[in-house]
Amino acid sequence: MSSCETPIFRSEEFLVFPNRVVQRNGREAVVADDGTVWSYGNRERPSWKMSGGVKELASYEGPIPVLNAAYDLAVREFLESRGDEGVLLTGAAWGKSVWTRDVSFATTLGLGMVDPDICMASLKVRVSHGEVMQDTGTGGSWPISTDRVAWGIAAWDLYLITGDREWLEWSAKVLDRTCLHDILVVDELSGLVRGESSFLDWRSQSYPDWMTPADIGESCSLSTMALHARCRAILGEMYAELGDQSKAGYWKKAAERVRKAIETMFRIPHRPAYGQFLYGRGYPVLSERIDTLGSLLCLLFGIVDGEEAASFLYELPHCLMGVPCFHPQKTMTAMDYHNGTMWPFLEGFYAQTAASLGNEDAMSASLACLVRSSLINGTNKENISLIHGTDEGLVQSSDRQLWSIAGTLGVFLKGLFGIWCENDSLMLSPCVPKEWAGRHVLMGVKYRKATIDVILLGHGSQVGKCMVNGKTGVPVIEKSAEGHFIVEIELLPGDPSVNGINWSPVSYDLPSPQWIHEGNELRWEPVPDAWYYRVYRNGIPIAQTEQTVFVPHPMAAVNQYQVMAVSKDDRESFLNEPREYIPGNARVETRPCGLSGDDVWVSRMDGSRHAYFYDVILGQSGVYRVDAFFSNGSGDYKDGNTCALRSLVLNGKRVGSLVFPHMNTQGDWGNFFYTPGLDVPLAAGIYTVELTYGEEDENINHDVNDCLIKHMRFTRISP
């Protein structure tokens, strides 16, 4: 991989020249002098000729042909993504669908600046019964998946861009109802919010194999927690803007509770980093893998700020073909989708974060990876392999994926040009790395009643000189501004101490140990490459052994054991499935009244929604883990929107929701599982037990909310 030309960007896998991108494996993209672009990825793409811009959209012209080509391709594909019904389409492979998280992230990445009207229309169709719809997903969707609040980030951005008061009032009402429903169902007393990792909704790709939809619904993930923290803060800002200080104060406090829970529960000891998710059954343990989306959201939302923010960004692993979804990858035999891949929308968030922190090295690498991905593949792919940089061998990778288009456009709008909207103004904080220096021009940016052209000269992340309409000024456009503004900025190099990128090889974990169920000892199969095993009891590491056997402690209380494999080079496995030792006095079971033998309680929307159980006698006070033995065959365990919910009522008081996800294939009502547990502090005594259906138990489907129940159990897990 050599050339007599000087590359703009060089890595071990690819080079970026002014008019072409060349990979080590021979794949390339070329921009001809007449503006024709040829792409030779894993299959040759038809060539296209750059259009030179679209009148109603912001247009870009720069000194480097490959940048012009990448921007032109993104605009071209954005226009193709505007559906006949006036809403945005998810991608070429996804028909006429529009999804909550995709359109929300795409709007936030930059599409809100490109076309706010179609973004508003697309967000509106993701509202039903007055609240935001969760996309279909694991176990029947919400509340196993709970990242629907990403909608609020986009809604607020659109208000800041347009100043549309009617939109603000409506979106605040929708987001308020959505977040209040979430607080009733998925919030815990600690401030944690339950739910699957945002966008990583193919559970086999990023969760331990033993985790079921019920286990995922019980877990708490960094990315989803960050979205909930930010959306509650946004509600505080929305109500402050609307003049309702009481509600503004409530939501600011609600946001702070979630932010504190992230810092307390997700911080990896002695590192400027947060872990991936908390997982387990009643005794949560932090997975210390790096979740890229969650980490970037924490930086962009100010959950991590100040001097530590630069260290957090540098800690994020970045592979040669792009930023991974998480690190390390999961060892698995199936084809990759989230595992082993780079998603361009994530790279877009990485670039924007790097630019906002003035990390010119990271911005340069991210820009190069996005240009390489779009031009080599001839389209803004849904995802590409971290190994060879195309969609070859992946489970699924749609062309013209909406949030990938937004990631590319956003690296120009919010990265190079640094356009950020605040409550009272539009601010320009450009970041042009030295390798990409020159005259960059962005024309026709719409902001409320103003139209803005921006000209960047030089390189760096500090504003040296700023001219506004020919006069010395500051790179800020007030929200009350009207008319046409030409902003010319001369850049200076920024703080070199914040530069740097954590180049990381594509690495893989160890498989989780598999239990051998013989006798009362803990035994497990040897794990290849394991140097030793770490034994956990009730979520706390208690022993380290090179053997594959461990003698458990006497059963004076509930003891739950798990084992992790660790290699000599410090690669770790996920913890294996919890194995419980329950003393006889620690668990009490109860059945629905009137059942006998192998009978089940049928709880359906068109029948007996409520279930009444025999009273429970608890001999000791403590925290009890309450769960139910159930079946839900309304849909497949991988998909759908008919996860069932019922409120747990003890002695006439609602104490929370029990969730009954899809656990089987659709139509299979014969296999039973335990629900996610609900941890409830209870005093010793006699309790009446009911499962009821109320407004708070509505799911995303609204019509189908059914389950079968055999029994319920109360397990004392702590004093």
Side-chain angles (χ1 to χ4, degrees):
M1 193 168 62
S2 63
S3 173
C4 59
E5 302 173 69
T6 301
I8 296 170
F9 178 85
R10 180 191 298 271
S11 80
E12 295 176 16
E13 289 294 335
F14 68 94
L15 301 175
V16 179
F17 297 94
N19 66 343
R20 61 196 181 99
V21 182
V22 182
Q23 288 189 191
R24 183 168 58 86
N25 58 18
R27 293 163 176 155
E28 67 175 332
V30 179
V31 183
D33 291 341
D34 66 352
T36 303
V37 185
W38 285 273
S39 299
Y40 306 97
N42 61 317
R43 55 187 181 275
E44 185 174 344
R45 296 273 179 182
S47 63
W48 81 92
K49 192 165 184 176
M50 287 189 281
S51 62
V54 179
K55 185 176 181 180
E56 69 268 25
L57 303 180
S59 62
Y60 167 79
E61 183 178 343
I64 303 170
V66 292
L67 283 186
N68 293 324
Y71 189 89
D72 183 87
L73 176 60
V75 169
R76 180 186 301 269
E77 294 199 316
F78 168 71
L79 294 174
E80 294 175 19
S81 300
R82 300 198 292 192
D84 295 337
E85 298 178 2
V87 297
L88 292 165
L89 308 179
T90 298
W94 300 109
K96 293 187 176 182
S97 62
V98 57
W99 294 334
T100 300
R101 77 170 62 89
D102 293 55
V103 73
S104 299
F105 283 144
T107 298
T108 301
L109 279 162
L111 292 190
M113 290 183 179
V114 174
D115 190 340
D117 291 338
I118 198 168
C119 290
M120 281 184 178
S122 302
L123 291 180
K124 283 180 178 178
V125 301
R126 298 306 298 164
V127 174
S128 176
H129 294 74
E131 57 184 81
V132 181
M133 298 167 62
Q134 178 70 42
D135 298 317
T136 58
T138 301
S141 186
W142 188 85
I144 303 302
S145 299
T146 59
D147 69 342
R148 59 182 179 159
V149 291
W151 186 96
I153 316 295
W156 178 238
D157 275 1
L158 289 172
Y159 168 69
L160 295 180
I161 293 165
T162 65
D164 187 328
R165 191 79 174 183
E166 184 178 340
W167 170 261
L168 175 65
E169 292 172 352
W170 177 79
S171 59
K173 187 182 299 183
V174 169
L175 189 59
D176 186 285
R177 181 182 173 98
T178 301
C179 288
L180 285 175
H181 198 178
D182 284 336
I183 286 172
L184 275 173
V185 175
V186 298
D187 274 30
E188 298 186 357
L189 293 175
S190 61
L192 292 170
V193 182
R194 294 187 178 194
E196 184 174 40
S197 296
S198 181
F199 111 90
L200 301 175
D201 57 352
W202 288 25
R203 68 182 185 86
S204 63
Q205 297 273 323
S206 55
Y207 284 94
D209 291 340
W210 58 266
M211 285 184 71
T212 66
D215 293 313
I216 291 172
E218 187 174 323
S219 69
C220 303
S221 75
L222 178 64
S223 53
T224 298
M225 288 275 294
L227 288 169
H228 280 273
R230 179 59 185 142
C231 270
R232 294 173 194 193
I234 281 173
L235 272 170
E237 295 182 62
M238 284 180 163
Y239 280 118
E241 190 80 0
L242 292 169
D244 190 332
Q245 297 306 321
S246 176
K247 283 191 173 182
Y250 169 83
W251 284 113
K252 286 176 183 176
K253 289 179 181 178
E256 183 62 14
R257 286 186 71 244
V258 181
R259 190 201 65 77
K260 286 182 177 178
I262 290 174
E263 175 60 27
T264 302
M265 302 297 291
F266 283 83
R267 170 74 72 159
I268 299 175
H270 315 300
R271 287 177 62 187
Y274 291 140
Q276 179 184 21
F277 48 68
L278 295 163
Y279 67 120
R281 291 175 182 162
Y283 304 98
V285 176
L286 178 66
S287 166
E288 294 190 3
R289 295 162 196 251
I290 299 297
D291 175 352
T292 301
L293 176 62
S295 300
L296 291 172
L297 293 180
C298 285
L299 287 165
L300 287 168
F301 297 161
I303 294 170
V304 177
D305 58 11
E307 294 181 359
E308 195 174 32
S311 299
F312 256 76
L313 180 65
Y314 181 78
E315 188 78 4
L316 285 183
H318 197 293
C319 301
L320 293 174
M321 286 295 185
V323 68
C325 297
F326 44 83
H327 180 88
Q329 307 304 297
K330 181 181 174 183
T331 298
M332 54 189 294
T333 57
M335 291 192 296
D336 290 332
Y337 184 62
H338 297 122
N339 196 63
T341 59
M342 168 270 211
W343 287 59
F345 92 91
L346 270 185
E347 194 71 56
F349 276 132
Y350 183 94
Q352 291 183 18
T353 307
S356 70
L357 295 173
N359 187 331
E360 296 169 32
D361 292 345
M363 173 61 183
S364 179
S366 200
L367 179 57
C369 287
L370 281 167
V371 167
R372 187 218 64 82
S373 176
S374 63
L375 295 188
I376 287 284
N377 291 291
T379 183
N380 288 277
K381 296 294 296 183
E382 179 180 6
N383 54 4
I384 58 102
S385 168
L386 287 170
I387 303 299
H388 53 70
T390 72
D391 63 349
E392 185 178 349
L394 303 184
V395 177
Q396 165 72 49
S397 182
S398 174
D399 290 356
R400 190 174 36 81
Q401 192 76 1
L402 183 67
W403 55 10
S404 300
I405 296 166
T408 299
L409 290 174
V411 80
F412 288 87
L413 298 167
K414 293 189 173 183
L416 282 174
F417 289 88
I419 303 174
W420 296 94
C421 291
E422 304 291 343
N423 291 34
D424 57 357
S425 62
L426 178 148
M427 304 181 66
L428 293 160
S429 302
C431 181
V432 179
K434 184 177 181 179
E435 302 89 340
W436 306 86
R439 188 176 189 269
H440 299 270
V441 181
L442 186 67
M443 295 184 292
V445 176
K446 301 293 192 300
Y447 173 62
R448 301 198 177 196
K449 295 181 179 181
T451 301
I452 308 162
D453 299 339
V454 187
I455 302 169
L456 303 180
L457 302 172
H459 65 86
S461 55
Q462 295 292 324
V463 175
K465 181 180 179 182
C466 179
M467 304 290 288
V468 180
N469 288 345
K471 298 179 180 180
T472 300
V474 292
V476 176
I477 305 297
E478 301 295 337
K479 67 180 182 181
S480 59
E482 298 184 24
H484 183 210
F485 296 84
I486 300 174
V487 182
E488 186 171 338
I489 298 173
E490 292 183 15
L491 293 168
L492 297 175
D495 180 0
S497 69
V498 302
N499 284 333
I501 186 167
N502 184 13
W503 291 112
S504 303
V506 181
S507 61
Y508 292 83
D509 67 1
L510 298 184
S512 298
Q514 299 297 307
W515 290 120
I516 298 173
H517 293 279
E518 294 178 0
N520 290 323
E521 293 180 327
L522 296 171
R523 293 182 179 273
W524 57 91
E525 299 285 354
V527 174
D529 295 330
W531 184 28
Y532 67 88
Y533 302 91
R534 194 177 298 140
V535 181
Y536 286 68
R537 184 179 71 235
N538 297 344
I540 299 172
I542 59 167
Q544 186 172 301
T545 178
E546 295 179 13
Q547 307 301 314
T548 58
V549 61
F550 181 80
V551 179
H553 290 246
M555 295 184 294
V558 173
N559 283 327
Q560 186 187 93
Y561 290 92
Q562 292 175 277
V563 179
M564 173 188 290
V566 183
S567 70
K568 283 189 175 181
D569 58 354
D570 292 326
R571 289 180 297 128
E572 298 178 343
S573 73
F574 281 118
L575 288 167
N576 62 357
E577 184 170 12
R579 185 167 174 180
E580 290 185 329
Y581 291 80
I582 308 293
N585 62 351
R587 175 171 285 167
V588 178
E589 291 188 0
T590 180
R591 301 190 68 192
C593 298
L595 297 188
S596 61
D598 202 36
D599 289 348
V600 298
W601 185 267
V602 181
S603 186
R604 295 186 184 277
M605 293 290 286
D606 59 357
S608 302
R609 299 181 182 183
H610 311 301
Y612 301 90
F613 291 73
Y614 293 106
D615 291 352
V616 167
I617 302 174
L618 303 181
Q620 293 178 287
S621 300
V623 176
Y624 282 82
R625 179 178 173 80
V626 185
D627 52 15
F629 199 49
F630 81 103
S631 179
N632 181 353
S634 299
D636 187 84
Y637 69 94
K638 296 179 181 179
D639 208 356
N641 64 359
T642 50
C643 179
L645 294 90
R646 297 293 184 272
S647 289
L648 175 63
V649 178
L650 302 178
N651 286 348
K653 180 182 178 181
R654 182 183 183 277
V655 297
S657 290
L658 281 182
V659 178
F660 304 83
H662 306 163
M663 300 284 282
N664 313 310
T665 56
Q666 186 167 3
D668 179 0
W669 292 86
N671 290 305
F672 285 75
F673 305 85
Y674 283 103
T675 63
L678 189 61
D679 296 343
V680 186
L682 296 172
I686 302 175
Y687 289 86
T688 61
V689 182
E690 303 170 62
L691 285 179
T692 66
Y693 179 87
E695 184 179 354
E696 62 273 11
D697 301 306
E698 286 190 52
N699 61 14
I700 300 302
N701 184 277
H702 295 285
D703 294 324
V704 179
N705 192 328
D706 306 335
C707 59
L708 306 180
I709 303 169
K710 282 195 173 183
H711 64 261
M712 193 182 301
R713 59 185 185 179
F714 290 67
T715 305
R716 185 171 175 268
I717 61 173
S718 66

